[in-house]
Amino acid sequence: MPTTTIAGQEIHVDDDGFMTEYDEWSEDLAKELAAAIGIGELTEGHWKTINFLRDDYKEQGETATLRRVTASGGIPTKELFQLFPKKPARKMSYVAGLPKPVGCV
């Protein structure tokens, strides 16, 4: 499994750069990951989404799709596109330190 260094920490990633080890993630790392993809300061809305994704991943064993975040997380799709512009499912799972959602290109 490939690794990369982010914020001085060695992180296991897949071939697309998504983290593969759930426990390597931290809030400080999330800030670094967000900055790397052009998202500035993480707001309350970002954290709500990130925390839902991480909690859901622990329960379900896979990264939630955009539809699941909207339906189960109660976060409107329009808001997700504002928080994580262009490809929100991909970006929010990246910042949350989770694998890319199934079916996400």
Side-chain angles (χ1 to χ4, degrees):
M1 188 75 47
T3 62
T4 189
T5 302
I6 302 171
Q9 182 179 347
E10 191 169 311
I11 304 296
H12 291 85
V13 295
D14 65 14
D15 292 336
D16 293 321
F18 286 81
M19 292 179 65
T20 58
E21 299 297 323
Y22 183 87
D23 293 328
E24 290 179 348
W25 183 89
S26 69
E27 288 187 5
D28 288 336
L29 187 60
K31 293 172 188 174
E32 294 287 333
L33 294 170
I37 59 171
I39 296 173
E41 185 177 335
L42 295 175
T43 65
E44 186 177 320
H46 288 104
W47 288 115
K48 179 181 177 184
T49 305
I50 292 165
N51 290 329
F52 170 80
L53 282 168
R54 291 193 57 82
D55 291 344
D56 189 71
Y57 183 85
K58 257 186 139 168
E59 291 175 20
Q60 303 297 320
E62 64 183 21
T63 306
T65 61
L66 197 64
R67 181 175 291 199
R68 180 164 176 76
V69 174
T70 298
S72 298
I75 306 165
T77 302
K78 185 175 181 177
E79 184 177 338
L80 293 172
F81 272 90
Q82 290 170 340
L83 293 169
F84 302 93
K86 300 178 186 172
K87 300 186 180 185
R90 185 178 181 93
K91 288 183 176 181
M92 63 191 188
S93 58
Y94 179 78
V95 174
L98 301 173
K100 183 171 56 173
V102 174
C104 189
V105 290

